[in-house]
Amino acid sequence: MSRKPIIAGNWKMNLLQEDAKSLFMGIATFAENFSKDQLPEIVIAPTFLSIPAVESMRCDKCRPLIATASQNCHWENSGAYTGEVSVEMIKDAGCSYVIIGHSERRQYFSETDEMINKKAKAILAGGLIPIICCGETLEQRESGVTDEHIASQIRAALKGLSEDEIAKSAIAYEPIWAIGTGKSCDATEANRVIAMIRNVVKEVSSSKAADSIRILYGGSVKPSTIEEQMSKSDIDGALIGGASLKADSFNEIIEKTMKVAV
Ligand code: 13P
């Protein structure tokens, strides 16, 4: 079955509002040369504060071509959770995706599998789409526990979700040792792990869910790596950090994806 690829830019904790607006305009100006059918699903994930800035730049033409994601959320709708932002608020700001379980959040902010599962449920209940991140450390890879570690992250994240909810979700496989290092995971190996993840989805849900869910690769994706990555059978897109911060490189990744996979 053919799955529409997702090219998502995770801007992390970068860009002041004016820079975020310029980057958005650089992507929108490029995307507007094409129809929605020609493009992959383009997603950008600015900081919470830059989401309204970016949304204020939208015109009718680019609205359907670029979706916005937040980089995190809380699982409750409202309440005494100082510093947090709810799914309802994220939706209200114009987002349709939420990235959850990024390794930086797991590592620096002690996000657990259980929290990620609560977030996934809240996102889906709110009508948005979670991009659930998973990935192994270099130590885990070298000690041969990559597959079991990733499988357990995925089982925990998807616990209690319905077949339909899983089918519309996205997963991003991001080996931690490949993030921000310039050293992308070999495309054949990334495809193998992603196929393994698809099998786990089938086992916890169904073939239908496994065939529908989009599973992205992330970790030092660049214009020079994307064609090989997108030509693999199970890789349905990319979650991009560094190379998403410049319109030129992000647009080149979109353009190369269109040639290989849309
Ligand atoms: P880089 O593309 O900078 O390696 O970052 C990947 C990432 O963490 C995206 O979420």
Side-chain angles (χ1 to χ4, degrees):
M1 99 165 254
S2 84
R3 295 175 289 266
K4 176 109 170 155
I6 298 177
I7 295 296
N10 177 4
W11 295 358
K12 305 193 181 180
M13 197 173 73
N14 293 296
L15 308 176
L16 299 182
Q17 295 188 35
E18 286 307 313
D19 303 317
K21 284 188 198 174
S22 310
L23 177 53
F24 174 79
M25 285 314 294
I27 301 164
T29 308
F30 169 78
E32 284 170 9
N33 293 314
F34 306 96
S35 69
K36 192 173 164 62
D37 288 349
Q38 290 174 301
L39 291 165
E41 224 161 291
I42 303 171
V43 181
I44 50 160
T47 64
F48 281 127
L49 286 172
S50 284
I51 290 169
V54 158
E55 290 301 312
S56 74
M57 304 302 286
R58 281 193 186 278
C59 58
D60 287 345
K61 199 165 172 200
C62 70
R63 195 172 304 280
L65 307 179
I66 304 176
T68 309
S70 68
Q71 301 172 17
N72 185 27
C73 69
H74 195 272
W75 55 85
E76 295 291 345
N77 255 342
S78 62
Y81 300 100
T82 303
E84 292 295 319
V85 179
S86 74
V87 171
E88 200 176 21
M89 293 164 184
I90 290 164
K91 188 175 180 182
D92 187 45
C95 293
S96 41
Y97 289 84
V98 184
I99 298 172
I100 50 171
H102 194 283
S103 60
E104 288 149 16
R105 295 216 53 87
R106 294 181 191 252
Q107 189 181 346
Y108 308 135
F109 304 98
S110 309
E111 241 180 62
T112 63
D113 283 335
E114 195 191 353
M115 287 156 78
I116 293 157
N117 178 240
K118 284 192 200 168
K119 291 179 185 198
K121 285 179 178 157
I123 293 162
L124 287 156
L128 304 189
I129 299 172
I131 301 177
I132 304 163
C133 302
C134 61
E136 81 285 3
T137 61
L138 186 59
E139 202 183 7
Q140 286 168 327
R141 174 156 285 268
E142 285 174 346
S143 56
V145 297
T146 297
D147 289 15
E148 82 189 64
H149 173 68
I150 307 270
S152 100
Q153 285 184 323
I154 296 302
R155 281 194 198 100
L158 302 181
K159 206 168 173 185
L161 300 185
S162 71
E163 181 185 53
D164 280 354
E165 287 176 327
I166 295 176
K168 66 170 86 131
S169 298
I171 290 173
Y173 168 55
E174 300 204 305
I176 295 169
W177 48 271
I179 295 177
T181 59
K183 204 174 137 233
S184 210
C185 177
D186 170 74
T188 304
E189 170 59 9
N191 191 57
R192 185 197 68 77
V193 175
I194 287 176
M196 184 278 299
I197 294 171
R198 209 176 291 288
N199 252 326
V200 173
V201 173
K202 185 174 166 185
E203 176 199 300
V204 300
S205 185
S206 68
S207 298
K208 186 179 155 233
D211 283 344
S212 305
I213 192 167
R214 263 97 46 97
I215 313 182
L216 321 183
Y217 167 77
S220 297
V221 173
K222 298 181 277 290
S224 60
T225 65
I226 191 72
E227 276 165 302
E228 193 188 359
Q229 287 153 344
M230 289 311 302
S231 66
K232 298 292 179 194
S233 58
D234 279 273
I235 302 182
D236 301 324
L239 182 56
I240 304 144
S244 74
L245 294 174
K246 293 268 184 294
D248 282 355
S249 48
F250 192 63
N251 292 343
E252 197 178 336
I253 290 172
I254 295 168
E255 196 167 21
K256 289 187 164 161
T257 299
M258 284 159 70
K259 281 198 196 127
V260 185
V262 182

